[in-house]
Amino acid sequence: MVNQWIETAHDRGASDIHFEPLDKDDRLRVRMRVDGELRGVETVNDGRKVIARLKVMAGLDVNERGVPLDGRIKFSASGGGRGGLDLRLSTTPCMGGEKAVLRLIDSSRLGMSLEDLGYTKRMLDLYRPHTLAPYGLLLHVGPTGSGKTTSLYAVLTSLNRTEINIQTVEDPVEYDVAGITQTQVSHDLGLTFPRVLRALLRQDPNVILVGEIRDPETAEIALEASMTGHLVLSTLHANEAVGALIRLLDMGMTPYSIAYALRCVVAQRFARRLCEQCRKKVTPPEALARLIGPGRAIYTGEGCKACQRTGFSGRIPLYEYMPMSDALKKAAYGETTPDALQAVAARSGMITMFEDGLEKASAGLTSIEEVLRLTKGLRTSPRSTAHRRPTTSATASSSGAAPRPSGTGSAPAARPAPPRQTGPQARPTSQSDVIPGVRPAPARPGAPRPPRPPGVR
Ligand SMILES: [Zn+2]
């Protein structure tokens, strides 16, 4: 039963599985977090047995029920080709027994190269030079389970060779990598982020990964290190790229050190990937076409056996890329509001998550509804960016039926119904900028060709 849940969770792309006692009758509720949302799976009897089974799998003492415990489970999924799965178990005593949470860490993602991460070619060309720089700070932000650590480890993997000393401080160490010195913080032993970071700076590192910048002290050391000849990679809790800049300023970092040290910020989150077996090109309804720009192809998953009728299979990350341009550095010195910083970033080289999502939706990798759902409420969502594109915003806002993905209003308005019809109006996808290693939607035989100008053969 436990194995089945783990496999289901892996298949659904869940980040965590929760097991919690419901009542005195030993019933246990099982839920999974998928795309950041907790969803019920089922309620079972014999809850204590399930918890005990989990503890055995993690090598923990079944009889120790009064204290919180942590363990690690190596799980090989059946069905082949899915690779190993690394799981972290944590248990906490509670009313009715113990609650257990399993965090899924996909070790098949370990050793991924930058090309495997789902960056568009355009974004990768902009991002890669930062990873090769001799010093500076690279920040990735996003919700828990958005793949930040995987992204940073791909950078480390690309730099992992004899001439480069790579050291990390993490809580906890998620991936085991030969050739990299990884240190786990331990609050019991007083090994905090700042303390480990100071120690490893005395070990002549070239590249440092700081698992997360949570406090001003860590932020300060990380910034200092990146100004003194080290490439520092880290994550920070923020929803969007500009949020990282604001967090650093809020933590009391000086505009000078931020401007000097920070190279770029990447925000990321996962979208559901369209099923390759049943995805189909559709013509967007007029209001949507106005929002996403004319002539853009979009796709929908019709649902088939391969994807359990959902139309989706697997996940693909969406990214927002914000370089620390000269204009943005200058803006950080001023009395700025988040909106003002955002506006400057937008004018100076930022690729918003919506733009990235749009490109991926046009390549048939995800649906436009997914992109709108995931960018809803972001400062860079289409409604907020509309003022930069007068032609789009003027027409979109004049139509009552225009979708308002960034609004705080009701959900249905923000999620336009998937368009169904195809027609000769559908233009072919521009596939010039698809993701390396990712198969875009194939041109269908018999798909309508664009009209040719007269006189051209
Ligand atoms: Zn399908």
Side-chain angles (χ1 to χ4, degrees):
M1 199 154 54
V2 170
N3 288 13
Q4 216 166 44
W5 284 322
I6 294 174
E7 292 198 12
T8 306
H10 184 46
D11 287 343
R12 292 185 188 174
S15 56
D16 307 83
I17 316 175
H18 293 232
F19 304 87
E20 55 216 325
L22 273 188
D23 48 32
K24 288 198 175 71
D25 300 331
D26 200 22
R27 292 195 309 144
L28 186 82
R29 178 165 68 168
V30 183
R31 293 187 291 176
M32 292 179 188
R33 192 175 292 281
V34 181
D35 289 338
E37 220 171 83
L38 260 185
R39 293 171 194 174
V41 178
E42 59 183 314
T43 300
V44 296
N45 297 318
D46 294 327
R48 278 183 208 106
K49 268 192 198 158
V50 174
I51 302 284
R53 166 88 185 119
L54 285 166
K55 287 167 83 172
V56 169
M57 286 170 82
L60 300 175
D61 185 353
V62 180
N63 297 316
E64 208 167 346
R65 296 194 198 88
V67 289
L69 295 173
D70 287 300
R72 197 166 165 170
I73 300 173
K74 283 267 184 201
F75 184 82
S76 30
S78 65
R82 283 192 282 191
L85 202 56
D86 206 0
L87 302 144
R88 297 298 147 87
L89 176 70
S90 92
T91 68
T92 319
C94 64
M95 299 300 287
E98 284 171 288
K99 169 166 173 138
V101 176
L102 265 182
R103 172 136 195 247
L104 280 75
I105 293 160
D106 192 347
S107 50
S108 68
R109 291 173 66 79
L110 171 64
M112 279 183 130
S113 68
L114 285 173
E115 286 77 12
D116 299 328
L117 287 179
Y119 291 112
T120 58
K121 190 180 171 299
R122 171 164 77 122
M123 198 180 282
L124 191 56
D125 287 346
L126 294 165
Y127 176 73
R128 195 197 304 271
H130 296 300
T131 72
L132 301 172
Y135 69 89
L137 176 65
L138 258 64
L139 280 177
H140 278 242
V141 305
T144 308
S146 58
K148 302 183 292 277
T149 309
T150 308
S151 298
L152 293 180
Y153 259 91
V155 176
L156 294 188
T157 305
S158 72
L159 299 172
N160 190 6
R161 52 179 181 271
T162 318
E163 310 87 87
I164 299 181
N165 177 20
I166 304 176
Q167 298 198 214
T168 78
V169 45
E170 298 169 82
D171 182 22
V173 172
E174 288 190 8
Y175 301 119
D176 255 330
V177 185
I180 297 178
T181 309
Q182 302 165 289
T183 306
Q184 184 157 323
V185 304
S186 164
H187 298 285
D188 297 344
L189 301 176
L191 287 177
T192 59
F193 270 111
R195 190 168 162 207
V196 177
L197 200 45
R198 278 202 192 92
L200 71 82
L201 275 170
R202 291 190 287 270
Q203 301 210 307
D204 185 28
N206 299 105
V207 181
I208 302 164
L209 172 92
V210 182
E212 190 186 342
I213 294 179
R214 288 181 198 158
D215 56 277
E217 205 181 349
T218 307
E220 204 172 335
I221 307 171
L223 281 175
E224 240 171 65
S226 48
M227 288 191 280
T228 51
H230 310 92
L231 183 66
V232 181
L233 314 174
S234 191
T235 72
L236 208 142
H237 255 284
N239 280 325
E240 41 198 334
V242 77
L245 193 52
I246 293 156
R247 271 302 301 281
L248 289 176
L249 288 167
D250 274 353
M251 282 197 261
M253 301 305 111
T254 64
Y256 169 79
S257 60
I258 296 172
Y260 194 94
L262 189 58
R263 303 191 68 92
C264 72
V265 183
V266 174
Q268 58 186 89
R269 50 187 64 190
F270 278 112
R272 288 179 295 169
R273 182 197 286 263
L274 280 176
C275 170
E276 286 188 16
Q277 308 292 320
C278 65
R279 70 181 160 193
K280 187 179 130 201
K281 191 186 275 188
V282 289
T283 308
E286 236 178 88
L288 185 60
R290 277 197 292 266
L291 182 80
I292 65 178
R296 236 178 221 284
I298 57 167
Y299 292 78
T300 188
E302 290 194 301
C304 67
K305 219 174 151 190
C307 60
Q308 279 111 46
R309 312 268 155 222
T310 60
F312 294 98
S313 171
R315 300 184 298 169
I316 177 134
L318 303 187
Y319 294 106
E320 178 163 271
Y321 167 78
M322 185 183 84
M324 273 308 275
S325 61
D326 288 343
L328 198 52
K329 287 176 185 172
K330 218 164 143 188
Y333 277 94
E335 287 232 353
T336 47
T337 62
D339 282 335
L341 284 174
Q342 179 67 52
V344 174
R347 283 196 303 269
S348 53
M350 173 185 236
I351 300 173
T352 68
M353 193 167 283
F354 181 69
E355 287 164 347
D356 189 56
L358 210 49
E359 218 165 296
K360 285 166 181 167
S362 294
L365 298 169
T366 187
S367 72
I368 190 71
E369 291 79 17
E370 271 294 276
V371 175
L372 292 172
R373 178 177 72 86
L374 287 164
T375 56
K376 185 183 169 190
L378 296 184
R379 233 177 285 279
T380 52
S381 61
R383 190 202 209 174
S384 332
T385 52
H387 67 271
R388 292 192 284 126
R389 298 198 188 97
T391 49
T392 335
S393 83
T395 40
S397 56
S398 68
S399 158
R404 303 225 157 195
S406 70
T408 47
S410 59
R415 302 183 65 169
R420 283 285 157 204
Q421 76 279 19
T422 46
Q425 300 92 335
R427 297 248 199 101
T429 325
S430 158
Q431 290 177 4
S432 57
D433 193 22
V434 291
I435 299 150
V438 171
R439 222 159 13 120
R444 283 176 178 258
R449 287 170 172 249
R452 291 180 185 187
V456 175
R457 281 207 301 147

